[in-house]
Amino acid sequence: MSSRKRYVVLTPFAQTEVVAGVAALHGIEADVVATQSGAVLVRDVPVPTFDDWDISELLGVAASDSAEALSSAAAEASEKLAGAGALQGDTGVREEPSQQADLDQQVDDTDPFAVAAVFSRLSPYGVVLFQAELGDDVGGEDGVSGLVSAQRVIGGKAGEELHAGLLLNSLDPELEDLVLGLRPIDEIDPHVIHPEAAQALVRGSSAAGDPADSADPASPESAASDSRSSGAAADSTFPDSAAPDSAPGAGGVQ
């Protein structure tokens, strides 16, 4: 028996180079694949293995670290309470972080939501985050089985959960192959952009030095412009499957 975890971020952008450039700037090592529903990021997340049953399988931390983690959490809560008292009379205006700072911020690419949040800020349509926890020959079942969830992420915030099965049935069939890992990525899209190629794209853009091309091709402004101009993904897929007011199968995830 083998198990694996994978997440797929469906974006409304048609140009994979733009998505790969944004991913590289944020340190996200994911494959970028073109589909008829939009460019998607695909990333396999390491699955921890245990020789013997351990409480960390339930808690997510080693038992020896539990006491230390609780102590740290208590200390942090105390500091926040003390800080809240000091800020009660503070009416000063705080500046929002600059967009450039957000653009250069590194992201933990093993955290599916953190990755989805980055791209959700680049379009009013947001993105759809698929997460799959699958196994081969699990229990008495032969073949691939497991759980697939889907959730909208808009403006860096979690939206409603979607019916993953219905959503996949309404999108490009290759998206289902990507989520379930039914076929190798290179077979689905021979022009897939791997993380190494994405880094090369960014380095090549920086080295070009042409004033006409000085604008970062992976900037949020460029990505939004591509979404509006190409329109292939944003105008067809997301109003039907991920627009705020017309999500198919909104509700529980199966």
Side-chain angles (χ1 to χ4, degrees):
M1 181 187 74
S2 63
S3 60
R4 58 187 181 277
K5 291 184 179 181
R6 165 176 287 190
Y7 67 80
V8 173
V9 179
L10 172 62
T11 77
F13 309 121
Q15 296 186 6
T16 54
E17 293 82 0
V18 170
V19 176
V22 174
L25 288 173
H26 285 278
I28 299 171
E29 295 187 355
D31 296 318
V32 181
V33 182
T35 73
Q36 294 181 2
S37 301
V40 301
L41 295 100
V42 183
R43 174 77 154 83
D44 290 322
V45 180
V47 179
T49 58
F50 303 92
D51 294 332
D52 297 314
W53 186 88
D54 191 273
I55 193 172
S56 59
E57 294 184 57
L58 298 177
L59 301 180
V61 295
S64 59
D65 296 336
S66 298
E68 182 179 350
L70 290 173
S71 177
S72 299
E76 183 178 353
S78 299
E79 291 178 1
K80 288 183 177 180
L81 288 174
L87 290 174
Q88 284 181 352
D90 183 7
T91 59
V93 178
R94 295 174 174 80
E95 294 184 359
E96 294 294 332
S98 67
Q99 193 175 51
Q100 184 62 37
D102 290 340
L103 183 64
D104 295 337
Q105 182 180 2
Q106 298 297 291
V107 173
D108 178 8
D109 59 6
T110 63
D111 181 350
F113 182 82
V115 174
V118 169
F119 292 89
S120 72
R121 298 186 180 98
L122 306 185
S123 167
Y125 295 105
V127 300
V128 176
L129 171 63
F130 294 93
Q131 298 187 68
E133 298 184 22
L134 306 172
D136 297 318
D137 302 329
V138 178
E141 298 183 10
D142 295 332
V144 178
S145 61
L147 176 66
V148 177
S149 64
Q151 183 178 34
R152 179 180 293 113
V153 182
I154 300 178
K157 297 180 180 179
E160 71 269 34
E161 295 181 341
L162 307 174
H163 192 298
L166 291 178
L167 188 55
L168 288 173
N169 285 337
S170 66
L171 298 174
D172 186 344
E174 291 185 343
L175 190 60
E176 182 176 2
D177 291 345
L178 289 169
V179 172
L180 300 180
L182 299 180
R183 291 191 291 155
I185 293 178
D186 291 275
E187 179 181 319
I188 296 174
D189 179 12
H191 303 292
V192 56
I193 301 178
H194 297 293
E196 299 80 5
Q199 291 289 347
L201 282 174
V202 173
R203 289 194 299 268
S205 176
S206 301
D210 186 348
D213 298 329
S214 59
D216 187 349
S219 66
E221 294 81 5
S222 297
S225 175
D226 291 333
S227 172
R228 291 191 295 269
S229 61
S230 63
D235 293 340
S236 60
T237 300
F238 276 71
D240 295 329
S241 61
D245 297 325
S246 58
V253 175
Q254 293 186 351

